Amino acid sequence: ERPILTHCQILNTQQIARAKALGAVAAIQPSFVLSDRRWASQVLGPAQLQHAYCWRTMLHSGLMVAGSSDAPIETCNFLQGIFDAVYRRAPTENDADAFKL
């Protein structure tokens, strides 16, 4: 059995290393980036914001990452979740509208 960490939106490098050492799975909700982008920059401080939505960092560290939807809060369409994780914008938006940190 592996521990599962759900809602992994903000993890610093020490937390990522610890989760990896424990053999944990980071369950991320990529669609949150679209709903959170409206407030994240205002609510999170600079120290937290630099570690927000750092899924590539998690993957490159070797941490096991699994996508989930958090349905019914966000869509359960897994293809939409993949799109959200990669592009960080709605399909109807341009790349300039993507949530960048």
Side-chain angles (χ1 to χ4, degrees):
E1 291 186 27
R2 292 179 151 211
I4 299 173
L5 306 173
T6 305
H7 297 281
C8 290
Q9 269 96 296
I10 305 168
L11 290 177
N12 64 36
T13 53
Q14 292 84 13
Q15 291 167 319
I16 292 171
R18 181 165 163 76
K20 181 183 173 194
L22 292 171
V25 176
I28 64 168
Q29 293 71 30
S31 295
F32 280 4
V33 78
L34 296 183
S35 54
D36 292 359
R37 69 181 174 172
R38 293 185 292 269
W39 57 263
S41 297
Q42 290 82 33
V43 174
L44 299 175
Q48 291 175 314
L49 199 55
Q50 71 179 349
H51 300 291
Y53 315 100
C54 59
W55 304 317
R56 182 178 297 157
T57 302
M58 291 181 204
L59 288 168
H60 285 234
S61 77
L63 179 62
M64 176 75 67
V65 177
S68 65
S69 69
D70 203 43
I73 305 302
E74 302 289 349
T75 180
C76 62
N77 180 337
F78 71 93
L79 293 175
Q80 182 66 51
I82 294 169
F83 185 93
D84 296 342
V86 172
Y87 294 103
R88 298 176 178 238
R89 63 170 175 81
T92 57
E93 296 174 329
N94 297 314
D95 286 339
D97 299 320
F99 183 55
K100 296 180 179 73
L101 300 173

